[in-house]
Amino acid sequence: MKLGSPFRPRLLSALLISIFLGSAPATPAQERGELRIATSYKLMTLDPQYANLNENTSLLSHIYERLVYQDEDLELKPGLATSWRPLSDTQWAFKLRDEVRFHDGSAFDADDVLYTIERIRDFLKPPSGGFRSYVSGIKSVSAPDPLTVLIETDGAVPNLPLSFSSIFVMNRPSEGFETTEDLNAGHPPNGTGPYRFESWSSGESLRLARNDDYWGGKPAWSKVTFRVIENPAARVAALSTGEVDVADAIPARDVASLKERGARVASVGAARVNFVQFDVARDTLPGVTDKSGEPIANPFKNPLVRRALTLATDRGILVDKILAGYGTAAAQVFPNGLPGTSAKLLPEAPNYDEAKMLLAKAGFPDGFNLVLAGPAGRYPGDAESLQAVAQSWARIGVNAQPAAAPFSVFNTKRAAGDYGVWYGGTSGEAVDIILHTLLASPDPERGTGALNFGKYRNEAFDAMLARAESIAVGPERNAALAQATELVMADQPIIPLYHFHHIVGYGSRIGSYVLHPRGWTTAMQTLPAME
């Protein structure tokens, strides 16, 4: 399946590339004042290298930029680096863009790239590893001249340029490393991006001003204000009443009514997966009991139980009813047809009789009770998906109590081990990135398993994934990733549910809004209406 092809005309390709490389330059007739965006994304830090979460990378992309950019087909394009090439199996050369300046007026050069790599690799120690996995294979980095960066890796890293499509470049300070605490406490973020930082109120708003000296051309909007509105109905209401110009993460059920009220809608298939994840490591789990409420041994350690719950999950209801068709049933981490996916893995229809037999074989003929946790308002249809999955599992005797919470609360509790099974979602630059982060065995030194909160371990899969990652980008690598995916999905450490479609609504002041499959929400995607 061509990702997002039903929703995005190819004529927009060149426009999208120009937008995401920086900011589509504004013509005098297009220039406007303040752009108001209602976003579900709650910016959690002003440190662009601390937390690898879509809300941070999306919002901070106005201020900071990457060496490499991924276009609408997830192909790599020049960003702050104009070109790159391997010198050997373990050496790469990146040529940097000239005449780029940070917001404080200082010139961008190779020393800033060195600082960026060193800060992530050697200084930051964030929860879940942050961006460390992207630079963990770098042995040394040097700058033979101000516009050239030479990188030596510990072994072959054929996908190194892709890693840099996720890393924001920071300006080297006069001494030492900037701390996350300093950045959050008021040190003005200093990037090369199309918009400058003005103010931030955690969980409430982010205010930006146009960078008139931006190397990519003058941005279209003089001011940009992001209002954090985590409740989907409130975002829809704000757009309907004209309080905001753009609202992201629109529920599919609200598309028709928004159109009736004069708003327009853009949609694109997402390079991501939403799933149920099991804790397979601990002996007992919070919220998991027998039918009388007594704690039991962790049932998810048994692959028969995981398989039974997979067979008892009705993905069709999730896609057709909850997402109103704005999604695709999932059997792996990316939609079928993208590089690295397996044509053999297809979503299964529920089979409740077989699921019951597997539960009985695993020693749970009467089922058991559990708490099924998940975020509310972060993903399209998330709270409703919890309810639907719980209803499906009830048909085989597994009584699931849905427990939805705001993402900040859910994320904290999940990291603390308060849940035994939960609904979640993740996106990535490529199949191997998600496999590396979500399903590989947790290993801080290697940077694997940062989102493997269930502590799943499979040495055979780890070996197959490592082999695939050692192969140069191309058909052989894609085939190896597909085989690794087939192996791990047969063990069901997660239940892939669906690949939802990103839906954004926009009002009359907006001429066009171009979506990206990574799901970013930015001012750069938003062009003013012509008068």
Side-chain angles (χ1 to χ4, degrees), residues 40-41 229-232 235 249 375-384 404-407:
S40 60
Y41 288 148
I229 304 178
E230 293 187 270
N231 183 279
R235 287 196 301 277
R378 177 171 175 81
Y379 308 114
D382 47 15
E384 297 92 335
F407 179 71

Side-chain angles (χ1 to χ4, degrees), residues 18-23 48-49 57 60-69 78-81 97 100-103 108 113 116 164-170 190-195 211 214-216 524:
S18 69
I19 288 173
F20 275 98
L21 281 178
S23 176
Q49 298 168 354
T57 57
L60 293 179
S61 67
H62 295 80
I63 301 169
Y64 297 96
E65 295 183 289
R66 308 167 176 92
L67 292 180
V68 181
Y69 160 70
L80 289 177
R97 193 174 298 276
V100 174
R101 292 196 171 273
F102 286 93
H103 295 161
F108 159 72
V113 179
T116 292
F164 285 109
S165 71
S166 291
I167 295 172
F168 288 124
V169 175
M170 293 180 68
N190 184 29
T192 60
Y195 290 92
N211 176 15
Y214 180 57
W215 63 266
M524 293 83 79

